[in-house]
Amino acid sequence: MKILPEKTIERLSQYRRTLNNFYADHNSNRIFSHELAALLNITAVQVRRDIMFIGYSSSQRKGYNVQELIQVISQIIDTHEPINVAVVGYGNLGKAITTYFVGNRPKLNLVAAFDIDPKKIGQETHNIKCYSIDRLREILVAKDITIAILTVPTHAAKDMAKILVQTGIKGILNYTTVNLHIPPEIYLEEYDMITSLEKVAYFVKNKNQ
Amino acid sequence: MKILPEKTIERLSQYRRTLNNFYADHNSNRIFSHELAALLNITAVQVRRDIMFIGYSSSQRKGYNVQELIQVISQIIDTHEPINVAVVGYGNLGKAITTYFVGNRPKLNLVAAFDIDPKKIGQETHNIKCYSIDRLREILVAKDITIAILTVPTHAAKDMAKILVQTGIKGILNYTTVNLHIPPEIYLEEYDMITSLEKVAYFVKNKNQ
DNA sequence: GTAATATTGTTATAAAAATAACAATTCCTC
DNA sequence: GAGGAATTGTTATTTTTATAACAATATTAC
Ligand SMILES: NC(=O)c1ccc[n+]([C@@H]2O[C@H](COP(=O)([O-])OP(=O)(O)OC[C@H]3O[C@@H](n4cnc5c(N)ncnc54)[C@H](O)[C@@H]3O)[C@@H](O)[C@H]2O)c1
Ligand SMILES: NC(=O)c1ccc[n+]([C@@H]2O[C@H](COP(=O)([O-])OP(=O)(O)OC[C@H]3O[C@@H](n4cnc5c(N)ncnc54)[C@H](O)[C@@H]3O)[C@@H](O)[C@H]2O)c1
């Protein structure tokens, strides 16, 4: 299948989460585009267009089959084999993420954490161990880890990204407040909380214009 | 000034952060559009266009004055009076955020945290106290808090949003994996880590297409 | 002092994303 | 079973965002 737009991929992830909740709550196997849209604060057309993109269709006038839709979305955004993920930097944020992710997605396994601090190394949360950063390459290979979530301190981010690239990582989700420069074949997603908060502040301030 | 595009606001926040770092590192007061762009992995035109939007200009051929540019950006994205922010839900993520924010932005003050758990109430990090959620309205008013960062468990998110709306909050930054439904005059920004990670996984998988 | 070069500022164009419009279909009511 | 209503699927349009093109200007090299 042709590669899908970024925004569609983001929404597909949200659709799946919402559909799972919907199924659990309503025990209904049918959902209309406007129902799904309302749950996500978007328009029904948007939903239908995304669903068109992924090539799924319902019999008209009946709404979508919830289970089927979940499956079709999963076929697109999940991989066949589970993807293994590591947290690099087991501090406040790294630990929060580790706790949070455990068991969250069947095909996205958080399988290791790394830190440089001897006090952190050896710690364990829900069977996820924190390893010494010195063992990064060894463990990445051994556990077939392809994605890293970067939560080291700002000053260490650049070097750590370099090392991750050298070990052959395929994707990085960067939560440090440093913009990384890595080869284009490695997928990089960056998120900055302060930027989000400043955005909220700006639009709160300027909402009546 | 006319309201600026969302993406420009996001980039302005990033520009300011990058400019501050640049100034500290290089002790230079001049930066070219292509330098700033390279630091952020974007194009020089994008930078120049954003700077045009905010009405700042350098004398041609000399690059931008770093300090001035920081100031102009600050005038736009900062408020005159500092904005006060609260974290609602003092768990793993809420605590991480609290620790992280302290002193980070001069005009964005994280001034309180809230929780329902008696064990959390009364805890203090860097002078930020965790209050009982029962005192939400009282403290929001007393401390003039206008923005809330929501980090309660999923099941409590909906109700908490309702309460925040009732107390007259102006903006919410929602980190729970629940899409909120609040009146349009309240600015809402939502971010879901799982969606980001699933996006990375998808584009890692489909990078060669 | 002139030509070449580098850089900005701005307009023009393209690409991406969202919304609107509407035909086709199914279901419901009578 | 005719007519109306609701819903999907798709094309058309608009809006937003990013990129390209390029004139204007300052700087540098000679
Ligand atoms: N805490 C938050 O809510 C938050 C929010 C936004 C961004 N961030 C960013 O996330 C990053 C981490 O924040 P935090 O609050 O968790 O900080 P933290 O200091 O609690 O954690 C950082 C961890 O990284 C470890 N570390 C240091 N150097 C390392 C290296 N070379 N290799 C491996 N591990 C190393 C430290 O030992 C520590 O455990 C920072 O860059 C911060 O800017 C944090
Ligand atoms: N931890 C992460 O890295 C992470 C990442 C993405 C999203 N999230 C989301 O953030 C939220 C919090 O995650 P967490 O890992 O910090 O969970 P957590 O359980 O550690 O923290 C939640 C806190 O909220 C408090 N709380 C419960 N009900 C409350 C109420 N009615 N009012 C006020 N406080 C209340 C709890 O006492 C607890 O301290 C969840 O919705 C989760 O989905 C967390």
PDB file of all heavy atoms in Angstrom, chain A residues 11-12 15 32-38 40 42-53 64 69, chain C residues 19, chain D residues 9-10:
ATOM      1  N   ARG A  11      -4.027   9.853  13.302  1.00  0.00           N
ATOM      2  CA  ARG A  11      -5.442   9.628  13.619  1.00  0.00           C
ATOM      3  C   ARG A  11      -5.789   8.151  13.680  1.00  0.00           C
ATOM      4  O   ARG A  11      -6.605   7.734  14.503  1.00  0.00           O
ATOM      5  CB  ARG A  11      -6.320  10.374  12.608  1.00  0.00           C
ATOM      6  CG  ARG A  11      -6.427  11.878  12.903  1.00  0.00           C
ATOM      7  CD  ARG A  11      -7.495  12.520  12.039  1.00  0.00           C
ATOM      8  NE  ARG A  11      -7.201  12.368  10.633  1.00  0.00           N
ATOM      9  CZ  ARG A  11      -6.564  13.268   9.890  1.00  0.00           C
ATOM     10  NH1 ARG A  11      -6.169  14.412  10.419  1.00  0.00           N
ATOM     11  NH2 ARG A  11      -6.328  13.044   8.615  1.00  0.00           N
ATOM     12  N   LEU A  12      -5.163   7.351  12.836  1.00  0.00           N
ATOM     13  CA  LEU A  12      -5.449   5.914  12.884  1.00  0.00           C
ATOM     14  C   LEU A  12      -5.124   5.359  14.269  1.00  0.00           C
ATOM     15  O   LEU A  12      -5.890   4.564  14.822  1.00  0.00           O
ATOM     16  CB  LEU A  12      -4.634   5.167  11.819  1.00  0.00           C
ATOM     17  CG  LEU A  12      -5.080   5.368  10.370  1.00  0.00           C
ATOM     18  CD1 LEU A  12      -4.152   4.616   9.420  1.00  0.00           C
ATOM     19  CD2 LEU A  12      -6.517   4.929  10.156  1.00  0.00           C
ATOM     20  N   TYR A  15      -7.909   6.478  16.393  1.00  0.00           N
ATOM     21  CA  TYR A  15      -9.136   5.741  16.093  1.00  0.00           C
ATOM     22  C   TYR A  15      -9.110   4.392  16.807  1.00  0.00           C
ATOM     23  O   TYR A  15     -10.080   3.987  17.434  1.00  0.00           O
ATOM     24  CB  TYR A  15      -9.278   5.491  14.585  1.00  0.00           C
ATOM     25  CG  TYR A  15      -9.488   6.716  13.743  1.00  0.00           C
ATOM     26  CD1 TYR A  15      -9.228   6.695  12.377  1.00  0.00           C
ATOM     27  CD2 TYR A  15      -9.948   7.909  14.287  1.00  0.00           C
ATOM     28  CE1 TYR A  15      -9.412   7.812  11.580  1.00  0.00           C
ATOM     29  CE2 TYR A  15     -10.127   9.035  13.492  1.00  0.00           C
ATOM     30  CZ  TYR A  15      -9.857   8.985  12.137  1.00  0.00           C
ATOM     31  OH  TYR A  15     -10.038  10.089  11.356  1.00  0.00           O
ATOM     32  N   PHE A  32     -20.886   4.775  13.818  1.00  0.00           N
ATOM     33  CA  PHE A  32     -21.032   5.671  12.678  1.00  0.00           C
ATOM     34  C   PHE A  32     -19.856   6.627  12.624  1.00  0.00           C
ATOM     35  O   PHE A  32     -19.244   6.939  13.659  1.00  0.00           O
ATOM     36  CB  PHE A  32     -22.330   6.487  12.799  1.00  0.00           C
ATOM     37  CG  PHE A  32     -23.568   5.648  12.688  1.00  0.00           C
ATOM     38  CD1 PHE A  32     -24.545   5.712  13.677  1.00  0.00           C
ATOM     39  CD2 PHE A  32     -23.771   4.811  11.604  1.00  0.00           C
ATOM     40  CE1 PHE A  32     -25.698   4.941  13.576  1.00  0.00           C
ATOM     41  CE2 PHE A  32     -24.924   4.039  11.496  1.00  0.00           C
ATOM     42  CZ  PHE A  32     -25.888   4.103  12.485  1.00  0.00           C
ATOM     43  N   SER A  33     -19.567   7.109  11.447  1.00  0.00           N
ATOM     44  CA  SER A  33     -18.444   8.039  11.301  1.00  0.00           C
ATOM     45  C   SER A  33     -18.624   9.255  12.215  1.00  0.00           C
ATOM     46  O   SER A  33     -17.658   9.727  12.812  1.00  0.00           O
ATOM     47  CB  SER A  33     -18.295   8.480   9.847  1.00  0.00           C
ATOM     48  OG  SER A  33     -19.450   9.133   9.380  1.00  0.00           O
ATOM     49  N   HIS A  34     -19.849   9.719  12.365  1.00  0.00           N
ATOM     50  CA  HIS A  34     -20.025  10.904  13.203  1.00  0.00           C
ATOM     51  C   HIS A  34     -19.865  10.596  14.689  1.00  0.00           C
ATOM     52  O   HIS A  34     -19.492  11.459  15.468  1.00  0.00           O
ATOM     53  CB  HIS A  34     -21.365  11.593  12.925  1.00  0.00           C
ATOM     54  CG  HIS A  34     -22.575  10.780  13.282  1.00  0.00           C
ATOM     55  ND1 HIS A  34     -23.302  10.088  12.344  1.00  0.00           N
ATOM     56  CD2 HIS A  34     -23.164  10.530  14.469  1.00  0.00           C
ATOM     57  CE1 HIS A  34     -24.300   9.459  12.941  1.00  0.00           C
ATOM     58  NE2 HIS A  34     -24.240   9.706  14.236  1.00  0.00           N
ATOM     59  N   GLU A  35     -20.119   9.341  15.070  1.00  0.00           N
ATOM     60  CA  GLU A  35     -19.890   8.974  16.468  1.00  0.00           C
ATOM     61  C   GLU A  35     -18.398   8.956  16.784  1.00  0.00           C
ATOM     62  O   GLU A  35     -17.940   9.537  17.778  1.00  0.00           O
ATOM     63  CB  GLU A  35     -20.481   7.583  16.751  1.00  0.00           C
ATOM     64  CG  GLU A  35     -21.992   7.536  16.740  1.00  0.00           C
ATOM     65  CD  GLU A  35     -22.527   6.123  16.983  1.00  0.00           C
ATOM     66  OE1 GLU A  35     -22.059   5.164  16.325  1.00  0.00           O
ATOM     67  OE2 GLU A  35     -23.429   5.992  17.830  1.00  0.00           O
ATOM     68  N   LEU A  36     -17.646   8.292  15.905  1.00  0.00           N
ATOM     69  CA  LEU A  36     -16.195   8.231  16.101  1.00  0.00           C
ATOM     70  C   LEU A  36     -15.599   9.644  16.082  1.00  0.00           C
ATOM     71  O   LEU A  36     -14.752   9.998  16.906  1.00  0.00           O
ATOM     72  CB  LEU A  36     -15.575   7.355  15.008  1.00  0.00           C
ATOM     73  CG  LEU A  36     -14.080   7.077  15.083  1.00  0.00           C
ATOM     74  CD1 LEU A  36     -13.647   6.590  16.455  1.00  0.00           C
ATOM     75  CD2 LEU A  36     -13.671   6.059  14.010  1.00  0.00           C
ATOM     76  N   ALA A  37     -16.098  10.450  15.140  1.00  0.00           N
ATOM     77  CA  ALA A  37     -15.611  11.822  15.028  1.00  0.00           C
ATOM     78  C   ALA A  37     -15.865  12.599  16.312  1.00  0.00           C
ATOM     79  O   ALA A  37     -14.977  13.294  16.820  1.00  0.00           O
ATOM     80  CB  ALA A  37     -16.281  12.515  13.846  1.00  0.00           C
ATOM     81  N   ALA A  38     -17.076  12.465  16.850  1.00  0.00           N
ATOM     82  CA  ALA A  38     -17.432  13.219  18.057  1.00  0.00           C
ATOM     83  C   ALA A  38     -16.523  12.825  19.219  1.00  0.00           C
ATOM     84  O   ALA A  38     -16.092  13.686  20.001  1.00  0.00           O
ATOM     85  CB  ALA A  38     -18.893  12.976  18.415  1.00  0.00           C
ATOM     86  N   LEU A  40     -13.564  12.082  19.092  1.00  0.00           N
ATOM     87  CA  LEU A  40     -12.210  12.615  18.885  1.00  0.00           C
ATOM     88  C   LEU A  40     -12.180  14.108  18.604  1.00  0.00           C
ATOM     89  O   LEU A  40     -11.124  14.660  18.275  1.00  0.00           O
ATOM     90  CB  LEU A  40     -11.553  11.873  17.720  1.00  0.00           C
ATOM     91  CG  LEU A  40     -11.099  10.451  18.029  1.00  0.00           C
ATOM     92  CD1 LEU A  40     -11.095   9.602  16.782  1.00  0.00           C
ATOM     93  CD2 LEU A  40      -9.720  10.485  18.656  1.00  0.00           C
ATOM     94  N   ILE A  42     -13.252  15.665  16.045  1.00  0.00           N
ATOM     95  CA  ILE A  42     -12.969  16.003  14.654  1.00  0.00           C
ATOM     96  C   ILE A  42     -14.244  15.841  13.839  1.00  0.00           C
ATOM     97  O   ILE A  42     -15.305  15.570  14.385  1.00  0.00           O
ATOM     98  CB  ILE A  42     -11.827  15.140  14.069  1.00  0.00           C
ATOM     99  CG1 ILE A  42     -12.206  13.664  14.090  1.00  0.00           C
ATOM    100  CG2 ILE A  42     -10.538  15.375  14.838  1.00  0.00           C
ATOM    101  CD1 ILE A  42     -11.176  12.775  13.435  1.00  0.00           C
ATOM    102  N   THR A  43     -14.154  16.012  12.523  1.00  0.00           N
ATOM    103  CA  THR A  43     -15.361  15.935  11.698  1.00  0.00           C
ATOM    104  C   THR A  43     -15.556  14.514  11.157  1.00  0.00           C
ATOM    105  O   THR A  43     -14.602  13.756  11.001  1.00  0.00           O
ATOM    106  CB  THR A  43     -15.278  16.896  10.492  1.00  0.00           C
ATOM    107  OG1 THR A  43     -14.225  16.466   9.631  1.00  0.00           O
ATOM    108  CG2 THR A  43     -15.026  18.321  10.950  1.00  0.00           C
ATOM    109  N   ALA A  44     -16.793  14.227  10.822  1.00  0.00           N
ATOM    110  CA  ALA A  44     -17.131  12.907  10.296  1.00  0.00           C
ATOM    111  C   ALA A  44     -16.485  12.690   8.926  1.00  0.00           C
ATOM    112  O   ALA A  44     -16.099  11.568   8.584  1.00  0.00           O
ATOM    113  CB  ALA A  44     -18.643  12.759  10.203  1.00  0.00           C
ATOM    114  N   VAL A  45     -16.382  13.749   8.157  1.00  0.00           N
ATOM    115  CA  VAL A  45     -15.760  13.619   6.834  1.00  0.00           C
ATOM    116  C   VAL A  45     -14.314  13.166   6.966  1.00  0.00           C
ATOM    117  O   VAL A  45     -13.843  12.312   6.208  1.00  0.00           O
ATOM    118  CB  VAL A  45     -15.772  14.962   6.083  1.00  0.00           C
ATOM    119  CG1 VAL A  45     -15.370  14.764   4.647  1.00  0.00           C
ATOM    120  CG2 VAL A  45     -17.133  15.606   6.171  1.00  0.00           C
ATOM    121  N   GLN A  46     -13.650  13.780   7.908  1.00  0.00           N
ATOM    122  CA  GLN A  46     -12.256  13.418   8.174  1.00  0.00           C
ATOM    123  C   GLN A  46     -12.136  11.920   8.444  1.00  0.00           C
ATOM    124  O   GLN A  46     -11.272  11.249   7.888  1.00  0.00           O
ATOM    125  CB  GLN A  46     -11.783  14.214   9.399  1.00  0.00           C
ATOM    126  CG  GLN A  46     -10.336  13.995   9.727  1.00  0.00           C
ATOM    127  CD  GLN A  46      -9.448  14.872   8.907  1.00  0.00           C
ATOM    128  OE1 GLN A  46      -9.201  16.002   9.261  1.00  0.00           O
ATOM    129  NE2 GLN A  46      -8.963  14.368   7.800  1.00  0.00           N
ATOM    130  N   VAL A  47     -13.012  11.429   9.277  1.00  0.00           N
ATOM    131  CA  VAL A  47     -13.006  10.007   9.605  1.00  0.00           C
ATOM    132  C   VAL A  47     -13.240   9.172   8.339  1.00  0.00           C
ATOM    133  O   VAL A  47     -12.496   8.232   8.048  1.00  0.00           O
ATOM    134  CB  VAL A  47     -14.100   9.693  10.646  1.00  0.00           C
ATOM    135  CG1 VAL A  47     -14.285   8.199  10.814  1.00  0.00           C
ATOM    136  CG2 VAL A  47     -13.767  10.346  11.984  1.00  0.00           C
ATOM    137  N   ARG A  48     -14.233   9.542   7.584  1.00  0.00           N
ATOM    138  CA  ARG A  48     -14.566   8.748   6.400  1.00  0.00           C
ATOM    139  C   ARG A  48     -13.448   8.779   5.376  1.00  0.00           C
ATOM    140  O   ARG A  48     -13.127   7.775   4.737  1.00  0.00           O
ATOM    141  CB  ARG A  48     -15.856   9.270   5.770  1.00  0.00           C
ATOM    142  CG  ARG A  48     -17.067   9.073   6.663  1.00  0.00           C
ATOM    143  CD  ARG A  48     -18.346   8.997   5.862  1.00  0.00           C
ATOM    144  NE  ARG A  48     -18.615  10.204   5.102  1.00  0.00           N
ATOM    145  CZ  ARG A  48     -19.220  11.284   5.593  1.00  0.00           C
ATOM    146  NH1 ARG A  48     -19.608  11.316   6.848  1.00  0.00           N
ATOM    147  NH2 ARG A  48     -19.436  12.334   4.831  1.00  0.00           N
ATOM    148  N   ARG A  49     -12.834   9.923   5.265  1.00  0.00           N
ATOM    149  CA  ARG A  49     -11.744  10.057   4.302  1.00  0.00           C
ATOM    150  C   ARG A  49     -10.539   9.192   4.722  1.00  0.00           C
ATOM    151  O   ARG A  49      -9.925   8.525   3.893  1.00  0.00           O
ATOM    152  CB  ARG A  49     -11.327  11.520   4.199  1.00  0.00           C
ATOM    153  CG  ARG A  49     -11.039  11.907   2.794  1.00  0.00           C
ATOM    154  CD  ARG A  49     -11.142  13.371   2.533  1.00  0.00           C
ATOM    155  NE  ARG A  49     -10.695  13.633   1.186  1.00  0.00           N
ATOM    156  CZ  ARG A  49      -9.431  13.538   0.794  1.00  0.00           C
ATOM    157  NH1 ARG A  49      -8.504  13.195   1.644  1.00  0.00           N
ATOM    158  NH2 ARG A  49      -9.091  13.780  -0.457  1.00  0.00           N
ATOM    159  N   ASP A  50     -10.224   9.213   5.994  1.00  0.00           N
ATOM    160  CA  ASP A  50      -9.120   8.369   6.473  1.00  0.00           C
ATOM    161  C   ASP A  50      -9.435   6.899   6.218  1.00  0.00           C
ATOM    162  O   ASP A  50      -8.578   6.130   5.780  1.00  0.00           O
ATOM    163  CB  ASP A  50      -8.892   8.590   7.979  1.00  0.00           C
ATOM    164  CG  ASP A  50      -8.213   9.921   8.284  1.00  0.00           C
ATOM    165  OD1 ASP A  50      -7.481  10.437   7.419  1.00  0.00           O
ATOM    166  OD2 ASP A  50      -8.427  10.451   9.400  1.00  0.00           O
ATOM    167  N   ILE A  51     -10.681   6.526   6.475  1.00  0.00           N
ATOM    168  CA  ILE A  51     -11.069   5.133   6.301  1.00  0.00           C
ATOM    169  C   ILE A  51     -11.040   4.756   4.821  1.00  0.00           C
ATOM    170  O   ILE A  51     -10.656   3.646   4.452  1.00  0.00           O
ATOM    171  CB  ILE A  51     -12.445   4.874   6.951  1.00  0.00           C
ATOM    172  CG1 ILE A  51     -12.297   4.970   8.481  1.00  0.00           C
ATOM    173  CG2 ILE A  51     -13.001   3.510   6.543  1.00  0.00           C
ATOM    174  CD1 ILE A  51     -13.568   4.855   9.259  1.00  0.00           C
ATOM    175  N   MET A  52     -11.374   5.715   3.994  1.00  0.00           N
ATOM    176  CA  MET A  52     -11.250   5.491   2.558  1.00  0.00           C
ATOM    177  C   MET A  52      -9.780   5.235   2.195  1.00  0.00           C
ATOM    178  O   MET A  52      -9.465   4.295   1.469  1.00  0.00           O
ATOM    179  CB  MET A  52     -11.769   6.710   1.809  1.00  0.00           C
ATOM    180  CG  MET A  52     -11.875   6.506   0.309  1.00  0.00           C
ATOM    181  SD  MET A  52     -12.219   8.059  -0.562  1.00  0.00           S
ATOM    182  CE  MET A  52     -10.578   8.740  -0.737  1.00  0.00           C
ATOM    183  N   PHE A  53      -8.896   6.065   2.744  1.00  0.00           N
ATOM    184  CA  PHE A  53      -7.458   5.920   2.480  1.00  0.00           C
ATOM    185  C   PHE A  53      -6.968   4.502   2.757  1.00  0.00           C
ATOM    186  O   PHE A  53      -6.151   3.962   2.026  1.00  0.00           O
ATOM    187  CB  PHE A  53      -6.648   6.872   3.368  1.00  0.00           C
ATOM    188  CG  PHE A  53      -6.393   8.219   2.758  1.00  0.00           C
ATOM    189  CD1 PHE A  53      -6.514   9.372   3.524  1.00  0.00           C
ATOM    190  CD2 PHE A  53      -6.006   8.337   1.430  1.00  0.00           C
ATOM    191  CE1 PHE A  53      -6.261  10.612   2.971  1.00  0.00           C
ATOM    192  CE2 PHE A  53      -5.759   9.579   0.875  1.00  0.00           C
ATOM    193  CZ  PHE A  53      -5.888  10.721   1.643  1.00  0.00           C
ATOM    194  N   TYR A  64     -19.674   1.473  10.644  1.00  0.00           N
ATOM    195  CA  TYR A  64     -18.534   0.571  10.475  1.00  0.00           C
ATOM    196  C   TYR A  64     -18.571  -0.531  11.526  1.00  0.00           C
ATOM    197  O   TYR A  64     -19.013  -0.306  12.659  1.00  0.00           O
ATOM    198  CB  TYR A  64     -17.226   1.354  10.585  1.00  0.00           C
ATOM    199  CG  TYR A  64     -17.109   2.448   9.564  1.00  0.00           C
ATOM    200  CD1 TYR A  64     -17.452   3.765   9.873  1.00  0.00           C
ATOM    201  CD2 TYR A  64     -16.682   2.153   8.274  1.00  0.00           C
ATOM    202  CE1 TYR A  64     -17.361   4.766   8.919  1.00  0.00           C
ATOM    203  CE2 TYR A  64     -16.598   3.156   7.314  1.00  0.00           C
ATOM    204  CZ  TYR A  64     -16.933   4.452   7.638  1.00  0.00           C
ATOM    205  OH  TYR A  64     -16.865   5.434   6.697  1.00  0.00           O
ATOM    206  N   LEU A  69     -12.761  -2.811  11.821  1.00  0.00           N
ATOM    207  CA  LEU A  69     -12.003  -1.570  11.645  1.00  0.00           C
ATOM    208  C   LEU A  69     -10.737  -1.582  12.491  1.00  0.00           C
ATOM    209  O   LEU A  69      -9.649  -1.201  12.035  1.00  0.00           O
ATOM    210  CB  LEU A  69     -12.891  -0.376  11.999  1.00  0.00           C
ATOM    211  CG  LEU A  69     -12.400   1.018  11.627  1.00  0.00           C
ATOM    212  CD1 LEU A  69     -11.854   1.081  10.212  1.00  0.00           C
ATOM    213  CD2 LEU A  69     -13.527   2.034  11.791  1.00  0.00           C
TER     214      LEU A  69
ATOM    215  P    DT C  19     -11.351  20.576   9.385  1.00  0.00           P
ATOM    216  OP1  DT C  19     -11.584  21.651  10.369  1.00  0.00           O
ATOM    217  OP2  DT C  19     -11.550  19.152   9.724  1.00  0.00           O
ATOM    218  O5'  DT C  19     -12.235  20.891   8.104  1.00  0.00           O
ATOM    219  C5'  DT C  19     -12.175  22.187   7.549  1.00  0.00           C
ATOM    220  C4'  DT C  19     -13.038  22.212   6.319  1.00  0.00           C
ATOM    221  O4'  DT C  19     -12.532  21.275   5.345  1.00  0.00           O
ATOM    222  C3'  DT C  19     -14.483  21.801   6.578  1.00  0.00           C
ATOM    223  O3'  DT C  19     -15.239  22.949   6.272  1.00  0.00           O
ATOM    224  C2'  DT C  19     -14.728  20.613   5.650  1.00  0.00           C
ATOM    225  C1'  DT C  19     -13.630  20.782   4.613  1.00  0.00           C
ATOM    226  N1   DT C  19     -13.112  19.570   3.923  1.00  0.00           N
ATOM    227  C2   DT C  19     -13.153  19.522   2.550  1.00  0.00           C
ATOM    228  O2   DT C  19     -13.634  20.409   1.872  1.00  0.00           O
ATOM    229  N3   DT C  19     -12.629  18.381   1.986  1.00  0.00           N
ATOM    230  C4   DT C  19     -12.054  17.315   2.652  1.00  0.00           C
ATOM    231  O4   DT C  19     -11.608  16.365   2.031  1.00  0.00           O
ATOM    232  C5   DT C  19     -12.036  17.435   4.087  1.00  0.00           C
ATOM    233  C7   DT C  19     -11.426  16.337   4.902  1.00  0.00           C
ATOM    234  C6   DT C  19     -12.553  18.535   4.649  1.00  0.00           C
TER     235       DT C  19
ATOM    236  P    DG D   9     -17.851   3.487   3.258  1.00  0.00           P
ATOM    237  OP1  DG D   9     -17.688   2.058   2.957  1.00  0.00           O
ATOM    238  OP2  DG D   9     -17.002   4.146   4.274  1.00  0.00           O
ATOM    239  O5'  DG D   9     -17.711   4.301   1.899  1.00  0.00           O
ATOM    240  C5'  DG D   9     -18.313   3.784   0.727  1.00  0.00           C
ATOM    241  C4'  DG D   9     -17.993   4.688  -0.429  1.00  0.00           C
ATOM    242  O4'  DG D   9     -18.575   5.991  -0.198  1.00  0.00           O
ATOM    243  C3'  DG D   9     -16.503   4.929  -0.645  1.00  0.00           C
ATOM    244  O3'  DG D   9     -16.296   4.771  -2.046  1.00  0.00           O
ATOM    245  C2'  DG D   9     -16.270   6.355  -0.163  1.00  0.00           C
ATOM    246  C1'  DG D   9     -17.621   7.004  -0.410  1.00  0.00           C
ATOM    247  N9   DG D   9     -18.036   8.096   0.469  1.00  0.00           N
ATOM    248  C8   DG D   9     -17.880   8.190   1.827  1.00  0.00           C
ATOM    249  N7   DG D   9     -18.402   9.291   2.339  1.00  0.00           N
ATOM    250  C5   DG D   9     -18.934   9.950   1.237  1.00  0.00           C
ATOM    251  C6   DG D   9     -19.627  11.196   1.158  1.00  0.00           C
ATOM    252  O6   DG D   9     -19.921  11.971   2.070  1.00  0.00           O
ATOM    253  N1   DG D   9     -20.000  11.499  -0.148  1.00  0.00           N
ATOM    254  C2   DG D   9     -19.747  10.704  -1.239  1.00  0.00           C
ATOM    255  N2   DG D   9     -20.176  11.152  -2.413  1.00  0.00           N
ATOM    256  N3   DG D   9     -19.103   9.545  -1.181  1.00  0.00           N
ATOM    257  C4   DG D   9     -18.722   9.231   0.082  1.00  0.00           C
ATOM    258  P    DT D  10     -14.893   4.874  -2.705  1.00  0.00           P
ATOM    259  OP1  DT D  10     -14.862   3.980  -3.867  1.00  0.00           O
ATOM    260  OP2  DT D  10     -13.861   4.770  -1.647  1.00  0.00           O
ATOM    261  O5'  DT D  10     -14.917   6.356  -3.253  1.00  0.00           O
ATOM    262  C5'  DT D  10     -15.842   6.654  -4.307  1.00  0.00           C
ATOM    263  C4'  DT D  10     -15.780   8.132  -4.594  1.00  0.00           C
ATOM    264  O4'  DT D  10     -16.305   8.884  -3.480  1.00  0.00           O
ATOM    265  C3'  DT D  10     -14.364   8.680  -4.822  1.00  0.00           C
ATOM    266  O3'  DT D  10     -14.373   9.381  -6.031  1.00  0.00           O
ATOM    267  C2'  DT D  10     -14.133   9.599  -3.659  1.00  0.00           C
ATOM    268  C1'  DT D  10     -15.559  10.069  -3.393  1.00  0.00           C
ATOM    269  N1   DT D  10     -15.786  10.671  -2.064  1.00  0.00           N
ATOM    270  C2   DT D  10     -16.542  11.814  -1.996  1.00  0.00           C
ATOM    271  O2   DT D  10     -17.043  12.361  -2.971  1.00  0.00           O
ATOM    272  N3   DT D  10     -16.701  12.338  -0.736  1.00  0.00           N
ATOM    273  C4   DT D  10     -16.166  11.833   0.439  1.00  0.00           C
ATOM    274  O4   DT D  10     -16.371  12.391   1.505  1.00  0.00           O
ATOM    275  C5   DT D  10     -15.396  10.629   0.292  1.00  0.00           C
ATOM    276  C7   DT D  10     -14.778   9.999   1.503  1.00  0.00           C
ATOM    277  C6   DT D  10     -15.239  10.112  -0.934  1.00  0.00           C
TER     278       DT D  10
END
